[in-house]
């Protein structure tokens, strides 16, 4: 069965520092991969997605992610974090294209 | 509407009662999904509609849970004989199609508390 692991429950970074959130998946074929962000009181918002092609994917709000098949990873990165990036981040994998399997999430805290 | 609308935003009910949660998707979106998010967890898939029919209900935890979408737009998630373990945020999402290359837009969820 497919699964998604986000090893870091909480991450704290200083404003302006770089960010990398880890995501590992377990799936037999090339999956559809997603990163979502959830702010307090807000719905889930799609940051970026990977289906095929270029393994480096650009998303909204300055985020990017790289698909590494050999490591079964799809880590999310941002070169310079802003205070407004504080939120919960979820990695998700889909196979049939509709039923997404989410990780448990990583809570990002941004300090001044 | 501009986005996916879920009502109510909060619902407190007593154990054993029946509840209905409503989802109003983005106009024109044929695909609709329900997920459940427990505290400290990621969303968990419950059911997927394509039009009026439930294309996949494999995520419904038991027969106390049921969902309908009679006219292919608004959907209602129904929970009978609620239990304290049903307490969670119930998320609805919709997309133009059921394929993975279409973005699913999520509502803000209904927080259900069973006391």
């Amino acid at each position: 069965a497919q699964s998604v692991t986000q090893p870091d429950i909480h991450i704290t970074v200083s404003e302006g520092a770089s960010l990398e959130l880890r995501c590992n998946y377990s799936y037999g074929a090339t999956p559809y991969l997603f990163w979502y962000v959830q702010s307090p009181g807000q719905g889930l918002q799609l940051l970026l997605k990977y289906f095929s092609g270029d393994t480096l994917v650009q998303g909204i709000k300055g985020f990017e992610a790289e698909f590494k098949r050999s490591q079964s990873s799809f880590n999310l990165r941002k070169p310079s974090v802003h205070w407004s990036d504080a939120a919960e981040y979820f990695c998700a994998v889909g196979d049939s294209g509709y039923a997404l399997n989410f990780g448990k999430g990583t809570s990002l805290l941004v300090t001044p | 509407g501009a986005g996916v609308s879920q009502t109510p935003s909060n619902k407190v009910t007593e154990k054993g009662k029946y509840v209905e949660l409503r989802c109003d998707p983005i106009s024109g979106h044929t695909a609709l999904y329900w997920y459940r998010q427990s505290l400290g967890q990621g969303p968990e898939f419950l059911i997927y509609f394509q039009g009026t029919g439930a294309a996949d209900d494999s995520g419904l935890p038991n027969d106390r849970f049921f969902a309908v979408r009679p006219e292919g737009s608004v959907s209602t998630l129904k929970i009978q004989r609620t239990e304290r373990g049903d307490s969670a945020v119930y998320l609805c999402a919709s997309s133009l199609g059921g394929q993975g290359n279409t973005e699913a837009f999520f509502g803000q969820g209904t927080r259900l508390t069973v006391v």
Side-chain angles (χ1 to χ4, degrees):
Chain A
Q2 57 178 291
S3 65
V4 180
T5 302
Q6 293 181 248
D8 305 304
I9 298 174
H10 300 284
I11 281 188
T12 300
V13 299
S14 300
E15 189 169 16
S18 64
L19 171 70
E20 182 169 30
L21 302 182
R22 297 183 290 165
C23 173
N24 294 98
Y25 66 90
S26 172
Y27 186 65
T30 300
Y32 298 136
L33 294 162
F34 307 80
W35 274 100
Y36 283 86
V37 61
Q38 187 176 41
S39 299
Q42 303 295 317
L44 287 161
Q45 182 181 24
L46 180 66
L47 287 175
L48 47 78
K49 59 190 176 187
Y50 172 79
F51 298 136
S52 64
D54 193 344
T55 56
L56 185 62
V57 180
Q58 301 298 320
I60 62 171
K61 304 185 178 185
F63 286 93
E64 67 177 25
E66 186 171 12
F67 170 60
K68 293 186 176 180
R69 183 190 303 276
S70 61
Q71 299 177 19
S72 297
S73 69
F74 188 57
N75 294 349
L76 182 71
R77 301 194 293 249
K78 187 170 185 178
S80 178
V81 169
H82 188 262
W83 64 267
S84 61
D85 293 325
E88 189 85 16
Y89 290 80
F90 293 95
C91 180
V93 60
D95 54 0
S96 52
Y98 55 82
L100 294 178
N101 190 357
F102 285 84
K104 293 186 176 182
T106 297
S107 179
L108 174 64
L109 176 65
V110 180
T111 59
Chain B
V4 177
S5 176
Q6 291 188 246
T7 54
S9 55
N10 283 283
K11 175 72 176 179
V12 180
T13 190
E14 293 180 348
K15 179 176 176 297
K17 298 291 188 182
Y18 167 84
V19 296
E20 290 189 351
L21 312 180
R22 176 189 168 104
C23 173
D24 202 337
I26 293 172
S27 178
H29 281 192
T30 60
L32 185 145
Y33 321 77
W34 283 99
Y35 288 82
R36 177 170 69 175
Q37 186 174 17
S38 301
L39 192 63
Q41 303 294 316
E44 175 189 22
F45 170 76
L46 295 177
I47 187 169
Y48 157 61
F49 287 90
Q50 183 58 255
T52 60
D56 183 350
D57 64 357
S58 63
L60 295 177
N62 52 60
D63 61 6
R64 296 187 297 106
F65 288 74
F66 189 72
V68 296
R69 194 185 185 198
E71 298 179 356
S73 178
V74 172
S75 175
T76 305
L77 178 65
K78 308 180 180 192
I79 310 174
Q80 299 177 323
R81 305 183 303 280
T82 52
E83 300 177 356
R84 292 196 177 86
D86 299 334
S87 296
V89 176
Y90 289 82
L91 298 169
C92 177
S94 71
S95 65
L96 276 173
Q99 300 305 310
N101 58 356
T102 57
E103 178 179 351
F105 294 84
F106 282 80
Q108 295 189 18
T110 293
R111 182 177 299 278
L112 175 67
T113 304
V114 181
V115 298

